[in-house]
CSV table of all heavy atoms in Angstrom, one decimal:
chain,number,residue,atom,x,y,z
A,20,ILE,N,2.0,-35.2,-19.4
A,20,ILE,CA,0.7,-35.7,-19.7
A,20,ILE,C,0.7,-37.2,-19.4
A,20,ILE,O,1.7,-37.9,-19.6
A,20,ILE,CB,0.3,-35.5,-21.2
A,20,ILE,CG1,-1.0,-35.8,-21.5
A,20,ILE,CG2,1.3,-36.2,-22.1
A,20,ILE,CD1,-1.7,-35.3,-22.8
A,21,SER,N,-0.4,-37.6,-18.7
A,21,SER,CA,-0.4,-39.1,-18.3
A,21,SER,C,-0.6,-40.0,-19.4
A,21,SER,O,-0.9,-39.6,-20.6
A,21,SER,CB,-1.5,-39.1,-17.2
A,21,SER,OG,-2.8,-38.9,-17.7
A,22,ASP,N,-0.5,-41.3,-19.2
A,22,ASP,CA,-0.9,-42.2,-20.2
A,22,ASP,C,-2.4,-42.2,-20.5
A,22,ASP,O,-3.1,-41.5,-19.8
A,22,ASP,CB,-0.5,-43.8,-19.6
A,22,ASP,CG,-1.4,-44.0,-18.5
A,22,ASP,OD1,-1.2,-43.4,-17.3
A,22,ASP,OD2,-2.3,-44.9,-18.5
A,23,SER,N,-2.8,-42.8,-21.7
A,23,SER,CA,-4.2,-42.8,-22.0
A,23,SER,C,-4.8,-44.2,-21.9
A,23,SER,O,-6.0,-44.2,-22.5
A,23,SER,CB,-4.3,-42.2,-23.4
A,23,SER,OG,-3.6,-43.0,-24.4
A,24,ASP,N,-4.2,-45.1,-21.3
A,24,ASP,CA,-4.7,-46.5,-21.4
A,24,ASP,C,-6.0,-46.6,-20.7
A,24,ASP,O,-6.9,-47.3,-21.2
A,24,ASP,CB,-3.7,-47.4,-20.7
A,24,ASP,CG,-4.2,-48.9,-20.9
A,24,ASP,OD1,-4.7,-49.2,-22.0
A,24,ASP,OD2,-3.9,-49.6,-19.9
A,25,GLU,N,-6.2,-45.8,-19.6
A,25,GLU,CA,-7.5,-45.8,-18.8
A,25,GLU,C,-8.5,-44.8,-19.3
A,25,GLU,O,-9.6,-44.8,-18.8
A,25,GLU,CB,-7.1,-45.6,-17.3
A,25,GLU,CG,-6.3,-46.8,-16.8
A,25,GLU,CD,-6.9,-48.0,-16.9
A,25,GLU,OE1,-8.2,-48.2,-16.6
A,25,GLU,OE2,-6.2,-49.1,-17.1
A,26,GLY,N,-8.1,-44.0,-20.3
A,26,GLY,CA,-9.1,-43.1,-20.9
A,26,GLY,C,-9.0,-41.7,-20.3
A,26,GLY,O,-9.4,-40.8,-21.0
A,27,ASP,N,-8.7,-41.6,-19.0
A,27,ASP,CA,-8.7,-40.3,-18.3
A,27,ASP,C,-7.3,-39.7,-18.3
A,27,ASP,O,-6.5,-40.0,-17.5
A,27,ASP,CB,-9.2,-40.5,-16.8
A,27,ASP,CG,-9.3,-39.1,-16.2
A,27,ASP,OD1,-9.4,-38.0,-16.9
A,27,ASP,OD2,-9.4,-39.2,-14.9
A,28,VAL,N,-7.1,-38.7,-19.3
A,28,VAL,CA,-5.7,-38.2,-19.4
A,28,VAL,C,-5.5,-36.9,-18.6
A,28,VAL,O,-6.6,-36.0,-18.6
A,28,VAL,CB,-5.5,-38.0,-21.0
A,28,VAL,CG1,-4.2,-37.3,-21.0
A,28,VAL,CG2,-5.5,-39.1,-21.7
A,29,ARG,N,-4.5,-36.9,-17.8
A,29,ARG,CA,-4.2,-35.7,-17.0
A,29,ARG,C,-3.0,-35.1,-17.6
A,29,ARG,O,-2.1,-35.7,-18.0
A,29,ARG,CB,-4.0,-36.0,-15.6
A,29,ARG,CG,-5.3,-36.9,-14.9
A,29,ARG,CD,-5.1,-37.4,-13.6
A,29,ARG,NE,-6.2,-38.2,-13.1
A,29,ARG,CZ,-6.2,-38.8,-11.9
A,29,ARG,NH1,-5.1,-38.8,-11.3
A,29,ARG,NH2,-7.4,-39.5,-11.6
A,30,SER,N,-3.0,-33.6,-17.3
A,30,SER,CA,-1.7,-32.9,-17.8
A,30,SER,C,-1.5,-31.9,-16.7
A,30,SER,O,-2.4,-31.5,-15.9
A,30,SER,CB,-2.0,-32.2,-19.1
A,30,SER,OG,-3.2,-31.4,-19.0
A,31,HIS,N,-0.2,-31.5,-16.6
A,31,HIS,CA,0.4,-30.5,-15.7
A,31,HIS,C,1.2,-29.5,-16.4
A,31,HIS,O,1.8,-30.0,-17.4
A,31,HIS,CB,1.0,-31.2,-14.6
A,31,HIS,CG,0.1,-32.1,-13.7
A,31,HIS,ND1,-0.8,-31.7,-12.8
A,31,HIS,CD2,-0.1,-33.5,-13.9
A,31,HIS,CE1,-1.4,-32.8,-12.3
A,31,HIS,NE2,-0.9,-33.8,-12.9
A,32,TYR,N,1.3,-28.2,-15.8
A,32,TYR,CA,2.1,-27.3,-16.4
A,32,TYR,C,2.8,-26.5,-15.3
A,32,TYR,O,2.2,-26.2,-14.2
A,32,TYR,CB,1.3,-26.2,-17.3
A,32,TYR,CG,0.5,-26.9,-18.4
A,32,TYR,CD1,-0.9,-27.4,-18.2
A,32,TYR,CD2,1.1,-27.0,-19.6
A,32,TYR,CE1,-1.4,-27.9,-19.2
A,32,TYR,CE2,0.4,-27.6,-20.7
A,32,TYR,CZ,-1.0,-28.0,-20.5
A,32,TYR,OH,-1.7,-28.4,-21.5
A,33,THR,N,3.9,-26.1,-15.5
A,33,THR,CA,4.8,-25.3,-14.7
A,33,THR,C,4.0,-23.9,-14.8
A,33,THR,O,3.4,-23.6,-15.8
A,33,THR,CB,6.3,-25.2,-14.9
A,33,THR,OG1,6.9,-24.5,-13.8
A,33,THR,CG2,6.5,-24.4,-16.2
A,34,ASP,N,4.2,-23.2,-13.7
A,34,ASP,CA,3.4,-21.9,-13.5
A,34,ASP,C,3.7,-20.8,-14.7
A,34,ASP,O,2.9,-20.2,-15.2
A,34,ASP,CB,3.6,-21.2,-12.3
A,34,ASP,CG,2.9,-21.9,-11.2
A,34,ASP,OD1,1.9,-22.7,-11.5
A,34,ASP,OD2,3.1,-21.6,-10.0
A,35,SER,N,5.0,-20.9,-15.1
A,35,SER,CA,5.5,-19.9,-16.0
A,35,SER,C,4.9,-20.1,-17.4
A,35,SER,O,5.0,-19.2,-18.3
A,35,SER,CB,7.1,-19.8,-16.1
A,35,SER,OG,7.5,-21.1,-16.6
A,36,VAL,N,4.4,-21.2,-17.8
A,36,VAL,CA,3.9,-21.5,-19.1
A,36,VAL,C,2.3,-21.7,-19.1
A,36,VAL,O,1.8,-21.9,-20.3
A,36,VAL,CB,4.5,-22.8,-19.8
A,36,VAL,CG1,6.1,-22.6,-19.7
A,36,VAL,CG2,4.2,-24.0,-19.1
A,37,LYS,N,1.8,-21.7,-18.0
A,37,LYS,CA,0.2,-21.9,-17.9
A,37,LYS,C,-0.4,-20.8,-18.9
A,37,LYS,O,-0.2,-19.7,-18.6
A,37,LYS,CB,-0.2,-22.0,-16.5
A,37,LYS,CG,0.0,-23.1,-15.7
A,37,LYS,CD,-0.5,-23.1,-14.3
A,37,LYS,CE,-0.2,-24.3,-13.5
A,37,LYS,NZ,-0.6,-24.3,-12.2
A,38,GLY,N,-1.3,-21.2,-19.6
A,38,GLY,CA,-2.2,-20.3,-20.3
A,38,GLY,C,-1.5,-20.0,-21.8
A,38,GLY,O,-2.0,-19.3,-22.6
A,39,ARG,N,-0.1,-20.5,-21.9
A,39,ARG,CA,0.6,-20.2,-23.2
A,39,ARG,C,1.0,-21.6,-23.8
A,39,ARG,O,0.9,-21.6,-25.1
A,39,ARG,CB,1.8,-19.4,-22.8
A,39,ARG,CG,1.7,-18.2,-22.2
A,39,ARG,CD,3.0,-17.4,-22.2
A,39,ARG,NE,4.0,-18.0,-21.3
A,39,ARG,CZ,5.3,-18.3,-21.8
A,39,ARG,NH1,5.5,-18.1,-23.1
A,39,ARG,NH2,6.2,-18.8,-21.0
A,40,PHE,N,1.2,-22.6,-23.1
A,40,PHE,CA,1.5,-23.9,-23.6
A,40,PHE,C,0.4,-24.8,-23.5
A,40,PHE,O,-0.2,-24.8,-22.4
A,40,PHE,CB,2.8,-24.5,-22.9
A,40,PHE,CG,4.1,-23.7,-23.2
A,40,PHE,CD1,4.1,-22.4,-23.8
A,40,PHE,CD2,5.3,-24.2,-22.9
A,40,PHE,CE1,5.3,-21.8,-24.0
A,40,PHE,CE2,6.5,-23.6,-23.1
A,40,PHE,CZ,6.5,-22.3,-23.7
A,41,THR,N,0.2,-25.8,-24.3
A,41,THR,CA,-0.6,-26.8,-24.3
A,41,THR,C,0.0,-28.2,-24.8
A,41,THR,O,0.6,-28.2,-25.8
A,41,THR,CB,-1.9,-26.6,-25.2
A,41,THR,OG1,-2.5,-25.3,-24.9
A,41,THR,CG2,-2.9,-27.7,-25.2
A,42,ILE,N,-0.1,-29.1,-23.9
A,42,ILE,CA,0.3,-30.5,-24.2
A,42,ILE,C,-0.8,-31.3,-24.7
A,42,ILE,O,-2.0,-31.2,-24.2
A,42,ILE,CB,1.1,-31.1,-23.0
A,42,ILE,CG1,1.9,-32.3,-23.5
A,42,ILE,CG2,0.0,-31.4,-21.8
A,42,ILE,CD1,2.8,-32.9,-22.2
A,43,ALA,N,-0.6,-32.2,-25.6
A,43,ALA,CA,-1.5,-33.0,-26.3
A,43,ALA,C,-0.9,-34.3,-26.8
A,43,ALA,O,0.1,-34.3,-27.2
A,43,ALA,CB,-2.4,-32.3,-27.3
A,44,ARG,N,-1.8,-35.4,-26.7
A,44,ARG,CA,-1.2,-36.6,-27.3
A,44,ARG,C,-2.1,-37.2,-28.4
A,44,ARG,O,-3.3,-37.0,-28.3
A,44,ARG,CB,-1.0,-37.7,-26.1
A,44,ARG,CG,-2.2,-38.1,-25.4
A,44,ARG,CD,-1.9,-39.0,-24.3
A,44,ARG,NE,-1.1,-40.1,-24.7
A,44,ARG,CZ,0.0,-40.6,-23.9
A,44,ARG,NH1,0.2,-40.1,-22.8
A,44,ARG,NH2,0.6,-41.6,-24.4
A,45,ASP,N,-1.5,-37.9,-29.4
A,45,ASP,CA,-2.2,-38.4,-30.5
A,45,ASP,C,-1.6,-39.9,-30.6
A,45,ASP,O,-0.5,-40.1,-31.2
A,45,ASP,CB,-1.9,-37.7,-31.8
A,45,ASP,CG,-2.8,-38.2,-33.0
A,45,ASP,OD1,-3.3,-39.3,-32.8
A,45,ASP,OD2,-2.9,-37.6,-33.9
A,46,ASP,N,-2.3,-40.6,-29.9
A,46,ASP,CA,-1.7,-42.1,-29.7
A,46,ASP,C,-1.9,-42.9,-31.0
A,46,ASP,O,-1.1,-43.8,-31.4
A,46,ASP,CB,-2.5,-42.9,-28.7
A,46,ASP,CG,-2.2,-42.4,-27.3
A,46,ASP,OD1,-1.2,-41.9,-27.0
A,46,ASP,OD2,-3.1,-42.4,-26.5
A,47,ALA,N,-2.8,-42.5,-32.0
A,47,ALA,CA,-2.7,-43.0,-33.3
A,47,ALA,C,-1.4,-42.7,-34.1
A,47,ALA,O,-1.0,-43.6,-34.8
A,47,ALA,CB,-3.9,-42.5,-34.1
A,48,LYS,N,-0.8,-41.6,-33.8
A,48,LYS,CA,0.5,-41.2,-34.4
A,48,LYS,C,1.6,-41.5,-33.5
A,48,LYS,O,2.7,-41.1,-33.9
A,48,LYS,CB,0.4,-39.7,-34.8
A,48,LYS,CG,-0.7,-39.5,-35.9
A,48,LYS,CD,-0.7,-37.9,-36.4
A,48,LYS,CE,-1.6,-37.7,-37.4
A,48,LYS,NZ,-1.7,-36.3,-37.8
A,49,ASN,N,1.3,-42.0,-32.4
A,49,ASN,CA,2.5,-42.3,-31.4
A,49,ASN,C,3.2,-41.0,-31.0
A,49,ASN,O,4.5,-41.1,-31.0
A,49,ASN,CB,3.4,-43.3,-31.9
A,49,ASN,CG,3.3,-44.6,-31.0
A,49,ASN,OD1,2.3,-44.8,-30.2
A,49,ASN,ND2,4.4,-45.4,-31.0
A,50,THR,N,2.5,-39.9,-30.9
A,50,THR,CA,3.2,-38.6,-30.8
A,50,THR,C,2.4,-37.7,-29.7
A,50,THR,O,1.4,-37.8,-29.6
A,50,THR,CB,3.1,-37.8,-32.2
A,50,THR,OG1,3.7,-38.6,-33.2
A,50,THR,CG2,3.8,-36.6,-32.0
A,51,VAL,N,3.3,-37.0,-29.0
A,51,VAL,CA,2.9,-36.1,-28.0
A,51,VAL,C,3.3,-34.6,-28.5
A,51,VAL,O,4.6,-34.6,-29.0
A,51,VAL,CB,3.4,-36.4,-26.6
A,51,VAL,CG1,3.2,-35.1,-25.7
A,51,VAL,CG2,2.8,-37.6,-26.1
A,52,TYR,N,2.5,-33.8,-28.4
A,52,TYR,CA,2.8,-32.4,-28.9
A,52,TYR,C,2.9,-31.4,-27.8
A,52,TYR,O,2.2,-31.4,-26.8
A,52,TYR,CB,1.7,-31.9,-29.9
A,52,TYR,CG,1.6,-32.8,-31.1
A,52,TYR,CD1,0.5,-33.8,-31.1
A,52,TYR,CD2,2.5,-32.7,-32.1
A,52,TYR,CE1,0.4,-34.6,-32.2
A,52,TYR,CE2,2.3,-33.4,-33.3
A,52,TYR,CZ,1.2,-34.4,-33.2
A,52,TYR,OH,1.1,-35.3,-34.5
A,53,LEU,N,3.7,-30.4,-28.0
A,53,LEU,CA,3.7,-29.2,-27.1
A,53,LEU,C,3.6,-28.0,-27.9
A,53,LEU,O,4.4,-27.5,-28.6
A,53,LEU,CB,5.0,-29.1,-26.2
A,53,LEU,CG,5.0,-28.0,-25.2
A,53,LEU,CD1,4.0,-28.4,-24.0
A,53,LEU,CD2,6.5,-27.9,-24.5
A,54,GLN,N,2.3,-27.3,-27.8
A,54,GLN,CA,2.0,-26.2,-28.6
A,54,GLN,C,2.5,-24.9,-27.7
A,54,GLN,O,2.0,-24.8,-26.5
A,54,GLN,CB,0.6,-26.1,-28.9
A,54,GLN,CG,0.2,-24.7,-29.6
A,54,GLN,CD,0.7,-24.7,-30.9
A,54,GLN,OE1,0.7,-25.5,-31.7
A,54,GLN,NE2,1.2,-23.5,-31.3
A,55,MET,N,3.2,-24.2,-28.2
A,55,MET,CA,3.8,-23.0,-27.5
A,55,MET,C,3.5,-21.8,-28.0
A,55,MET,O,4.0,-21.5,-29.3
A,55,MET,CB,5.4,-23.2,-27.3
A,55,MET,CG,5.9,-24.6,-26.8
A,55,MET,SD,7.7,-24.6,-26.5
A,55,MET,CE,8.3,-24.4,-28.1
A,56,ASN,N,2.7,-21.1,-27.4
A,56,ASN,CA,2.2,-19.7,-28.0
A,56,ASN,C,2.7,-18.5,-27.1
A,56,ASN,O,3.1,-18.7,-26.0
A,56,ASN,CB,0.7,-19.7,-27.9
A,56,ASN,CG,0.0,-20.8,-28.8
A,56,ASN,OD1,0.6,-21.1,-29.9
A,56,ASN,ND2,-1.2,-21.1,-28.5
A,57,ASN,N,2.7,-17.4,-27.6
A,57,ASN,CA,3.2,-16.0,-26.9
A,57,ASN,C,4.6,-16.4,-26.3
A,57,ASN,O,4.7,-16.2,-25.1
A,57,ASN,CB,2.1,-15.8,-25.9
A,57,ASN,CG,2.4,-14.5,-25.4
A,57,ASN,OD1,3.2,-13.6,-26.0
A,57,ASN,ND2,2.0,-14.1,-24.1
A,58,LEU,N,5.5,-16.9,-27.1
A,58,LEU,CA,6.7,-17.2,-26.6
A,58,LEU,C,7.4,-16.0,-26.2
A,58,LEU,O,7.4,-14.9,-26.7
A,58,LEU,CB,7.6,-18.0,-27.6
A,58,LEU,CG,7.1,-19.4,-27.8
A,58,LEU,CD1,7.6,-20.0,-29.2
A,58,LEU,CD2,7.8,-20.4,-26.7
A,59,LYS,N,8.2,-16.1,-25.1
A,59,LYS,CA,9.1,-15.2,-24.5
A,59,LYS,C,10.5,-15.5,-24.5
A,59,LYS,O,10.9,-16.8,-24.7
A,59,LYS,CB,8.7,-15.0,-23.1
A,59,LYS,CG,7.2,-14.6,-22.8
A,59,LYS,CD,6.8,-14.6,-21.3
A,59,LYS,CE,5.4,-14.3,-21.2
A,59,LYS,NZ,5.0,-14.3,-19.7
A,60,PRO,N,11.4,-14.5,-24.5
A,60,PRO,CA,12.9,-14.7,-24.5
A,60,PRO,C,13.2,-15.9,-23.5
A,60,PRO,O,14.1,-16.6,-23.6
A,60,PRO,CB,13.5,-13.5,-24.3
A,60,PRO,CG,12.6,-12.4,-24.9
A,60,PRO,CD,11.2,-13.1,-24.6
A,61,GLU,N,12.6,-15.8,-22.2
A,61,GLU,CA,12.9,-16.7,-21.1
A,61,GLU,C,12.6,-18.1,-21.5
A,61,GLU,O,12.9,-19.1,-20.7
A,61,GLU,CB,12.4,-16.2,-19.9
A,61,GLU,CG,10.8,-16.0,-19.9
A,61,GLU,CD,10.6,-14.4,-20.1
A,61,GLU,OE1,11.3,-13.8,-21.0
A,61,GLU,OE2,9.7,-13.9,-19.4
A,62,ASP,N,11.8,-18.3,-22.6
A,62,ASP,CA,11.5,-19.7,-22.9
A,62,ASP,C,12.7,-20.4,-23.7
A,62,ASP,O,12.5,-21.6,-24.2
A,62,ASP,CB,10.2,-19.8,-23.8
A,62,ASP,CG,9.1,-19.3,-23.1
A,62,ASP,OD1,8.9,-19.7,-22.0
A,62,ASP,OD2,8.3,-18.5,-23.6
A,63,THR,N,13.7,-19.6,-24.0
A,63,THR,CA,14.8,-20.1,-24.9
A,63,THR,C,15.6,-21.3,-24.0
A,63,THR,O,16.0,-21.0,-22.9
A,63,THR,CB,15.8,-18.9,-25.2
A,63,THR,OG1,15.2,-18.0,-26.1
A,63,THR,CG2,17.0,-19.6,-25.9
A,64,ALA,N,15.7,-22.3,-24.8
A,64,ALA,CA,16.3,-23.5,-24.1
A,64,ALA,C,16.4,-24.7,-24.9
A,64,ALA,O,15.6,-24.6,-26.1
A,64,ALA,CB,15.5,-23.9,-22.7
A,65,VAL,N,16.9,-25.7,-24.6
A,65,VAL,CA,16.8,-27.0,-25.2
A,65,VAL,C,15.7,-27.7,-24.6
A,65,VAL,O,15.7,-27.8,-23.4
A,65,VAL,CB,18.0,-27.8,-25.3
A,65,VAL,CG1,17.9,-29.2,-25.9
A,65,VAL,CG2,19.3,-27.1,-25.9
């Protein structure tokens, strides 16, 4: 996910997670989240 300083935030996903994962940022909390739904065994990783 891009910076938010200019207001227009862009995000990208690898094909294998499109439609299942969502990235979002909350700058007030200084935090970026990765919501992962419909997880599969092949998502296992650090």
Side-chain angles (χ1 to χ4, degrees):
I20 189 165
S21 66
D22 64 287
S23 59
D24 186 40
E25 297 297 320
D27 184 18
V28 176
R29 301 173 183 175
S30 59
H31 300 281
Y32 301 89
T33 194
D34 286 346
S35 63
V36 307
K37 284 180 181 177
R39 300 190 297 123
F40 291 11
T41 303
I42 193 169
R44 60 189 305 142
D45 185 342
D46 292 327
K48 295 183 178 180
N49 245 23
T50 301
V51 170
Y52 302 99
L53 185 68
Q54 178 67 44
M55 306 187 297
N56 298 329
N57 191 21
L58 282 160
K59 303 176 180 182
E61 51 264 41
D62 295 317
T63 295
V65 177

